[in-house]
Amino acid sequence: MNEELQVLKEHLMRKRLKRTDQRETILEVFLQSKRHLTVEELHNLVKYRDPSIGLTTIYRTMKLFCECNLARANHFEEGRVRYEQHYKTAHHDHMICNQCGDTIEFVDPQIEKLQEKVARQFGFRMTNHRMEIYGFCEKCQRGKMRDTTEIL
Protein backbone atom coordinates (compact mmCIF):
# COMPACT_ATOMS: atom_id res chain seq x y z
CA MET A 1 0.00 0.00 0.00
CA ASN A 2 2.86 2.42 0.73
CA GLU A 3 4.19 2.26 -2.83
CA GLU A 4 0.74 2.80 -4.32
CA LEU A 5 0.13 5.70 -1.95
CA GLN A 6 3.39 7.29 -3.08
CA VAL A 7 2.38 6.87 -6.74
CA LEU A 8 -0.92 8.60 -5.97
CA LYS A 9 0.76 11.45 -4.06
CA GLU A 10 3.20 12.09 -6.91
CA HIS A 11 0.38 12.07 -9.45
CA LEU A 12 -1.65 14.52 -7.38
CA MET A 13 1.37 16.83 -7.10
CA ARG A 14 1.89 16.73 -10.90
CA LYS A 15 -1.79 17.57 -11.43
CA ARG A 16 -1.68 20.21 -8.66
CA LEU A 17 -4.43 18.43 -6.73
CA LYS A 18 -4.70 18.06 -2.98
CA ARG A 19 -3.98 14.91 -1.06
CA THR A 20 -7.14 14.01 0.85
CA ASP A 21 -8.03 11.41 3.43
CA GLN A 22 -10.98 10.43 1.25
CA ARG A 23 -8.76 9.58 -1.73
CA GLU A 24 -6.46 7.55 0.49
CA THR A 25 -9.41 5.70 2.04
CA ILE A 26 -10.73 4.85 -1.42
CA LEU A 27 -7.28 3.61 -2.45
CA GLU A 28 -6.94 1.46 0.64
CA VAL A 29 -10.38 -0.13 0.22
CA PHE A 30 -9.81 -0.64 -3.50
CA LEU A 31 -6.46 -2.36 -2.94
CA GLN A 32 -7.85 -4.57 -0.18
CA SER A 33 -10.79 -5.75 -2.27
CA LYS A 34 -8.73 -7.80 -4.78
CA ARG A 35 -11.81 -7.88 -7.06
CA HIS A 36 -13.01 -6.25 -10.25
CA LEU A 37 -15.37 -3.59 -8.92
CA THR A 38 -17.87 -1.18 -10.34
CA VAL A 39 -17.87 2.29 -8.82
CA GLU A 40 -21.13 1.40 -7.07
CA GLU A 41 -19.64 -1.75 -5.54
CA LEU A 42 -16.59 0.18 -4.38
CA HIS A 43 -18.85 2.86 -2.92
CA ASN A 44 -20.71 0.19 -0.92
CA LEU A 45 -17.38 -0.99 0.55
CA VAL A 46 -16.03 2.52 1.18
CA LYS A 47 -19.12 3.79 3.00
CA TYR A 48 -18.40 1.37 5.88
CA ARG A 49 -15.11 3.20 6.42
CA ASP A 50 -16.31 6.72 5.70
CA PRO A 51 -20.02 7.32 5.03
CA SER A 52 -19.29 10.91 3.94
CA ILE A 53 -17.60 9.74 0.71
CA GLY A 54 -20.06 10.09 -2.14
CA LEU A 55 -20.40 8.27 -5.42
CA THR A 56 -19.15 11.27 -7.41
CA THR A 57 -15.94 11.37 -5.36
CA ILE A 58 -15.34 7.71 -6.13
CA TYR A 59 -15.93 8.25 -9.87
CA ARG A 60 -13.42 11.10 -9.91
CA THR A 61 -10.92 9.22 -7.77
CA MET A 62 -11.04 6.10 -9.95
CA LYS A 63 -10.29 8.32 -12.95
CA LEU A 64 -7.19 9.57 -11.09
CA PHE A 65 -6.18 6.00 -10.23
CA CYS A 66 -6.41 5.05 -13.91
CA GLU A 67 -4.35 8.08 -14.96
CA CYS A 68 -1.45 7.01 -12.73
CA ASN A 69 -1.82 3.27 -13.52
CA LEU A 70 -3.02 2.23 -10.09
CA ALA A 71 -6.25 0.98 -11.66
CA ARG A 72 -7.44 -0.17 -15.05
CA ALA A 73 -10.95 0.30 -16.36
CA ASN A 74 -12.41 -2.78 -18.02
CA HIS A 75 -15.39 -2.30 -20.30
CA PHE A 76 -16.85 -5.78 -20.15
CA GLU A 77 -19.95 -6.76 -22.15
CA GLU A 78 -22.33 -6.13 -19.29
CA GLY A 79 -22.10 -2.45 -20.15
CA ARG A 80 -20.61 -1.38 -16.84
CA VAL A 81 -17.03 -0.38 -16.17
CA ARG A 82 -15.24 -2.63 -13.70
CA TYR A 83 -11.96 -1.50 -12.19
CA GLU A 84 -9.07 -3.76 -11.34
CA GLN A 85 -5.72 -3.14 -9.71
CA HIS A 86 -3.12 -2.35 -12.32
CA TYR A 87 0.03 -1.20 -10.53
CA LYS A 88 2.79 -3.80 -10.95
CA THR A 89 0.21 -6.34 -12.09
CA ALA A 90 1.32 -8.87 -14.68
CA HIS A 91 -0.61 -9.27 -17.91
CA HIS A 92 -3.63 -11.57 -17.65
CA ASP A 93 -6.87 -12.30 -19.43
CA HIS A 94 -10.42 -12.60 -18.10
CA MET A 95 -13.33 -15.02 -17.94
CA ILE A 96 -16.53 -13.20 -16.98
CA CYS A 97 -19.67 -14.91 -15.69
CA ASN A 98 -22.79 -13.76 -17.56
CA GLN A 99 -24.96 -14.43 -14.52
CA CYS A 100 -23.15 -13.22 -11.38
CA GLY A 101 -20.49 -11.02 -13.00
CA ASP A 102 -17.60 -12.76 -11.21
CA THR A 103 -14.33 -12.36 -13.07
CA ILE A 104 -11.62 -14.99 -13.19
CA GLU A 105 -8.13 -13.86 -14.17
CA PHE A 106 -5.91 -16.32 -16.02
CA VAL A 107 -2.70 -16.57 -18.00
CA ASP A 108 -2.07 -19.31 -20.55
CA PRO A 109 1.38 -19.37 -22.20
CA GLN A 110 0.02 -21.32 -25.19
CA ILE A 111 -2.61 -18.65 -25.88
CA GLU A 112 0.04 -15.93 -25.58
CA LYS A 113 2.33 -17.72 -28.07
CA LEU A 114 -0.53 -18.36 -30.48
CA GLN A 115 -1.51 -14.67 -30.48
CA GLU A 116 2.08 -13.68 -31.23
CA LYS A 117 2.25 -16.27 -34.03
CA VAL A 118 -0.99 -15.04 -35.62
CA ALA A 119 0.18 -11.42 -35.40
CA ARG A 120 3.49 -12.35 -37.14
CA GLN A 121 1.62 -14.25 -39.87
CA PHE A 122 -0.29 -11.07 -40.73
CA GLY A 123 2.77 -8.82 -40.42
CA PHE A 124 1.14 -7.16 -37.43
CA ARG A 125 3.24 -5.71 -34.62
CA MET A 126 1.25 -6.40 -31.48
CA THR A 127 1.69 -3.89 -28.66
CA ASN A 128 -1.04 -5.11 -26.37
CA HIS A 129 -4.08 -7.32 -26.31
CA ARG A 130 -7.07 -8.18 -24.20
CA MET A 131 -8.94 -11.46 -24.13
CA GLU A 132 -12.34 -11.83 -22.53
CA ILE A 133 -14.24 -15.10 -22.38
CA TYR A 134 -17.91 -14.95 -21.42
CA GLY A 135 -19.95 -17.82 -20.01
CA PHE A 136 -21.05 -19.22 -16.66
CA CYS A 137 -18.85 -19.84 -13.63
CA GLU A 138 -18.99 -23.15 -11.76
CA LYS A 139 -21.19 -21.71 -9.01
CA CYS A 140 -23.79 -20.42 -11.45
CA GLN A 141 -23.67 -23.64 -13.48
CA ARG A 142 -24.46 -25.63 -10.32
CA GLY A 143 -27.33 -23.22 -9.61
CA LYS A 144 -28.66 -23.64 -13.16
CA MET A 145 -28.49 -27.44 -12.83
CA ARG A 146 -30.37 -27.24 -9.53
CA ASP A 147 -33.04 -25.02 -11.14
CA THR A 148 -33.42 -27.52 -14.00
CA THR A 149 -33.80 -30.52 -11.66
CA GLU A 150 -36.44 -28.73 -9.61
CA ILE A 151 -38.56 -28.33 -12.76
CA LEU A 152 -38.32 -32.07 -13.58
Side-chain angles (χ1 to χ4, degrees), residues 5-34:
L5 190 55
Q6 189 59 38
V7 168
L8 177 61
K9 286 179 181 177
E10 289 170 10
H11 183 68
L12 293 172
M13 282 177 34
R14 279 191 303 274
K15 301 235 356 160
R16 295 194 159 112
L17 297 169
K18 292 181 184 178
R19 183 212 65 79
T20 66
D21 290 340
Q22 288 185 331
R23 288 180 176 140
E24 290 181 14
T25 297
I26 294 167
L27 180 61
E28 189 176 329
V29 172
F30 175 66
L31 294 175
Q32 288 173 349
S33 74
K34 306 282 187 211

Side-chain angles (χ1 to χ4, degrees), residues 21-125:
D21 290 340
Q22 288 185 331
R23 288 180 176 140
E24 290 181 14
T25 297
I26 294 167
L27 180 61
E28 189 176 329
V29 172
F30 175 66
L31 294 175
Q32 288 173 349
S33 74
K34 306 282 187 211
R35 293 181 30 229
H36 296 72
L37 298 168
T38 64
V39 168
E40 293 81 6
E41 290 168 340
L42 182 56
H43 181 248
N44 286 334
L45 296 173
V46 166
K47 69 182 178 186
Y48 289 108
R49 291 276 300 280
D50 185 345
S52 72
I53 299 175
L55 202 54
T56 303
T57 301
I58 294 180
Y59 272 105
R60 290 180 182 144
T61 302
M62 292 311 296
K63 182 179 178 207
L64 288 172
F65 292 175
C66 288
E67 289 171 1
C68 62
N69 290 318
L70 290 172
R72 182 173 112 177
N74 292 299
H75 301 268
F76 295 142
E77 262 186 11
E78 64 185 2
R80 299 170 75 192
V81 177
R82 289 190 173 273
Y83 294 91
E84 70 176 315
Q85 295 174 30
H86 190 59
Y87 184 70
K88 290 190 174 180
T89 301
H91 166 77
H92 58 270
D93 296 305
H94 297 100
M95 289 185 276
I96 301 103
C97 181
N98 291 327
Q99 187 165 332
C100 70
D102 276 357
T103 304
I104 300 165
E105 296 178 349
F106 71 96
V107 175
D108 186 309
Q110 289 178 315
I111 291 174
E112 299 300 317
K113 285 179 186 171
L114 182 58
Q115 290 171 137
E116 291 167 10
K117 179 183 171 191
V118 169
R120 275 193 311 275
Q121 284 175 342
F122 286 91
F124 190 80
R125 188 174 70 83

Side-chain angles (χ1 to χ4, degrees), residues 91 119 124-129:
H91 166 77
F124 190 80
R125 188 174 70 83
M126 183 170 58
T127 58
N128 195 6
H129 82 275

